[in-house]
C-alpha cells in the first residue's frame, strides 16, 4: 500500500510488532523475526511480512468482513493485510432488496469494487437466510394462491439477479446461511423449509450454480461445541453428505467459528482439526468464515492479549493442517467494530475485543500469531 494510509499502517505494524515480539519471546509462545523487509520469503527469519503476504505465499486466503468500505478499517487494511473480503451485511437479501424485487446494490457494489481494486478475493454473504430478508417476503409467500410456486419464483429471481450481477467477480457464495435451527440439531423450520421442505437447499444451490457456474458455493453454519462429538456438528455433516449424494452443486462448507463466551468453549486444537477434517473428508473445501475470539476467555491470564493470540494460533493452525481448509475470515477488522459489542445478546459482556486489530487499527499479538502460523505452513 502506498500513500499516507499505508505509511500509517506500516508504522503501526512496526511499533506493534516490536512490542509483540518482546512479549512473545518472554512468554516463549512464538518465534520472533528481525525486521528485515528483504527479498526472502515470508517464512524467512529476515522478512517482516504482512498477513496478506503470508497468506499469498501459503496459497490461502485471509479475509475480513467489512461493512463500510470507505471507513479507515477497510481502506487501511484490505490492501496490506487481507487478500479476501466478505460483506458483513451489504449483500444479504434484505440489504440488496428491502422489499421483494426492489433492488439497491449501491452498498454491495462499493464493497465488491473495494475488493477488486485491491486485488482481494470477494466472498458473497449470503443469499438465503432466515434473517435480514426483504420486509414483505413472508407476506408475499403467505398471500399467494400457491405459496410454494411463489417462493420458488421469488428465489429464482433473487438468486439469478444477485449472483448474475457479480458473475466472475464474487468467487465464493454462502448460498444458504445457517440451515440448522438456532439451537439443536434439526433443520430450521424457517419460511423456506416450511414452504418447500429440505429441497429448498438443493434448489438454492442449483440456482446459484446456474447463475455463475464458476463460483464456489458454500453452506455456512455455526456451532457451540466445535468438535466431532457434538450432535449439531454430526447433523450438519449428515446434511452436507445428503446434499452431495443428491448431486447438489455444493462445493464448500463454512464453519463460522464465533467464540464469544461460556456456551462456545474453545476447542482443543486436535479436536477442532478432526472436526474440520470430517468435513473435507466428504470431498468439499472448507473455510473458517466468521472467526472471532472474545478477550473474555482470558480475563484471568497474565496477559490476555497474548493468551488470545495463542488461541487464534491454535484455531488457525488447525485449519492450516487440513488440506481442504483454504481460508480464514475474521468477522470484522478491528475491535472498535464488532457485532459482539452491539448485539443485545452479547453486549452485556462488552468489550469483547475479538479481532486482529485494536480500536486504533494497530495489529494485536493475535495478528502476528496468525501471520506466523500461516507463514509456517
Ligand atoms: O442498517 C440499520 C440502520 O439503518 C439502523 O439505524 C440500525 C439501528 O439498529 O440498524 C442497522 O441494521 C443493523 C445491521 O446489522 C447493519 O449494521 C441491524 O440492526 C443489526 O441487527 C445487524 O446485525 C448484523 C447481524 O448479522 C444480523 O443478524 C451484524 O452486523 C452482523 O455482524 C451479523 O452477522 C452474522 C452473519 O451474517 C451470520 N453469522 C452470524 C453473524 C453474527 O450474528
Amino acid at each position: 500500500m502506498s500513500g499516507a494510509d499505508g505509511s500509517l499502517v506500516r508504522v503501526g505494524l512496526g511499533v506493534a510488532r516490536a512490542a509483540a515480539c518482546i512479549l512473545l519471546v518472554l512468554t516463549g509462545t512464538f518465534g520472533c523475526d528481525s525486521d528485515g523487509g528483504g527479498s526472502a520469503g515470508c517464512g524467512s527469519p529476515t522478512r517482516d511480512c504482512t498477513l496478506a503476504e503470508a497468506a499469498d505465499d501459503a496459497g490461502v486466503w485471509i479475509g475480513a468482513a467489512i461493512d463500510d468500505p470507505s471507513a479507515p478499517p477497510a481502506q487501511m487494511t484490505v490492501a496490506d493485510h487481507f487478500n479476501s473480503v466478505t460483506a458483513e451485511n451489504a449483500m444479504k437479501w434484505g440489504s440488496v432488496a428491502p422489499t421483494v424485487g426492489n433492488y439497491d446494490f449501491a452498498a454491495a457494489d462499493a464493497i465488491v469494487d473495494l475488493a477488486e481494486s485491491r486485488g482481494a478475493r470477494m466472498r458473497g454473504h449470503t443469499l438465503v437466510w432466515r434473517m435480514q430478508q426483504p420486509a414483505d417476503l413472508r407476506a408475499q409467500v403467505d398471500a399467494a394462491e400457491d405459496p410454494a410456486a411463489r417462493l420458488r419464483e421469488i428465489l429464482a429471481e433473487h438468486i439469478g439477479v444477485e449472483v448474475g450481477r457479480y458473475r466472475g467477480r464474487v468467487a465464493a457464495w454462502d448460498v444458504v446461511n445457517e440451515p440448522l435451527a438456532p439451537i439443536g440439531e434439526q433443520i430450521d423450520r424457517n419460511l423456506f423449509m416450511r414452504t418447500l421442505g429440505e429441497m429448498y437447499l438443493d434448489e438454492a444451490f442449483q440456482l446459484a450454480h446456474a447463475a455463475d457456474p464458476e463460483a464456489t458455493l458454500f453452506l455456512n453454519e455455526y456451532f457451540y461445541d466445535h468438535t466431532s462429538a457434538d450432535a449439531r456438528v454430526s447433523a450438519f455433516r449428515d446434511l452436507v453428505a445428503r446434499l452431495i449424494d443428491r448431486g447438489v452443486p455444493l462445493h464448500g462448507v463454512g464453519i463460522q467459528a464465533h467464540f464469544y463466551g461460556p456456551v462456545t468453549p474453545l476447542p482443543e486444537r486436535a479436536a477442532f482439526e478432526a472436526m474440520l477434517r470430517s468435513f473435507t473428508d466428504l470431498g468439499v473445501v472448507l473455510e473458517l468464515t466468521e472467526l472471532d475470539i472474545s478477550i473474555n476467555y482470558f480475563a484471568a491470564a497474565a496477559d490476555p492479549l497474548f493468551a488470545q493470540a495463542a488461541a487464534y494460533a491454535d484455531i488457525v493452525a488447525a485449519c492450516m493442517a487440513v488440506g481442504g481448509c483454504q481460508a480464514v475470515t475474521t468477522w470484522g477488522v478491528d475491535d472498535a467494530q464488532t457485532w459482539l459489542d452491539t448485539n443485545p445478546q452479547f453486549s452485556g459482556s462488552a468489550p469483547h475485543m475479538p479481532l486482529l486489530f485494536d480500536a486504533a487499527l494497530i495489529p494485536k499479538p493475535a495478528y502476528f500469531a496468525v501471520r506466523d502460523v500461516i507463514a509456517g505452513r
Side-chain angles (χ1 to χ4, degrees):
M1 181 191 283
S2 58
D5 285 356
S7 310
L8 263 180
V9 173
R10 289 287 187 194
V11 170
L13 190 61
V15 171
R17 181 174 165 71
C21 281
I22 292 164
L23 284 161
L24 289 171
V25 165
L26 286 177
T27 58
T29 311
F30 302 105
C32 195
D33 304 341
S34 63
D35 186 2
S39 60
C42 188
S44 157
T46 62
R47 179 88 192 278
D48 184 12
C49 69
T50 68
L51 197 48
E53 287 171 328
D56 284 343
D57 284 358
V60 297
W61 284 293
I62 180 81
I66 283 168
D67 236 357
D68 179 358
S70 63
Q75 289 290 325
M76 290 174 67
T77 58
V78 169
D80 269 355
H81 301 291
F82 297 102
N83 62 3
S84 177
V85 168
T86 302
E88 185 173 351
N89 289 292
M91 299 179 98
K92 290 170 180 171
W93 193 352
S95 303
V96 299
T99 55
V100 170
N102 293 310
Y103 293 101
D104 178 358
F105 282 104
D109 283 353
I111 294 185
V112 177
D113 288 347
L114 172 78
E116 212 161 55
S117 71
R118 307 297 170 93
R121 177 190 72 148
M122 187 70 214
R123 286 195 101 254
H125 174 85
T126 175
L127 298 169
V128 180
W129 188 24
R130 64 173 158 264
M131 294 178 71
Q132 288 174 290
Q133 300 172 345
D136 60 343
L137 175 63
R138 187 174 169 177
Q140 287 227 14
V141 172
D142 286 349
E145 206 170 298
D146 183 343
R150 179 68 185 128
L151 182 53
R152 283 204 171 90
E153 182 182 50
I154 293 173
L155 270 175
E157 199 249 359
H158 156 58
I159 293 175
V161 167
E162 185 162 1
V163 176
R165 181 180 187 87
Y166 298 114
R167 181 176 174 141
R169 299 177 71 198
V170 168
W173 280 101
D174 289 331
V175 175
V176 177
N177 188 45
E178 298 168 8
L180 299 184
I183 294 174
E185 300 90 51
Q186 304 305 314
I187 298 192
D188 187 38
R189 297 277 311 159
N190 57 35
L191 177 70
F192 312 105
M193 181 70 181
R194 288 196 311 273
T195 313
L196 301 174
E198 187 178 304
M199 292 304 283
Y200 90 83
L201 293 157
D202 305 45
E203 293 181 28
F205 277 86
Q206 282 151 0
L207 290 163
H209 188 57
D212 186 351
E214 300 301 319
T216 309
L217 305 182
F218 283 78
L219 190 62
N220 195 43
E221 187 53 272
Y222 67 78
F223 303 95
Y224 301 96
D225 172 357
H226 293 76
T227 70
S228 296
D230 183 34
R232 185 175 172 86
V233 171
S234 305
F236 185 63
R237 198 173 37 242
D238 291 348
L239 174 59
V240 170
R242 282 202 300 283
L243 292 169
I244 292 170
D245 282 351
R246 297 205 290 261
V248 172
L250 181 162
H251 314 118
V253 161
I255 305 294
Q256 293 189 12
H258 291 293
F259 296 104
Y260 48 74
V263 299
T264 52
L266 284 164
E268 294 293 329
R269 176 182 155 174
F272 188 54
E273 186 180 319
M275 177 233 188
L276 300 183
R277 212 178 285 284
S278 75
F279 286 100
T280 56
D281 283 350
L282 296 174
V284 289
V285 295
L286 186 136
E287 303 196 7
L288 305 187
T289 48
E290 305 184 15
L291 176 62
D292 44 24
I293 305 178
S294 173
I295 199 74
N296 292 341
Y297 288 99
F298 317 108
D303 190 319
L305 287 175
F306 284 88
Q308 183 188 46
Y312 256 105
D314 270 349
I315 293 295
V316 175
C319 169
M320 294 296 115
V322 174
C325 191
Q326 61 180 24
V328 175
T329 293
T330 57
W331 204 240
V333 171
D334 68 288
D335 289 341
Q337 290 168 49
T338 163
W339 71 287
L340 287 170
D341 286 358
T342 53
N343 184 302
Q345 222 182 323
F346 308 107
S347 56
S349 43
H352 286 271
M353 298 166 60
L355 294 164
L356 300 183
F357 288 81
D358 71 15
L361 285 179
I362 303 297
K364 293 162 58 182
Y367 173 100
F368 299 104
V370 171
R371 192 275 315 265
D372 289 351
V373 164
I374 291 176
R377 190 182 198 184

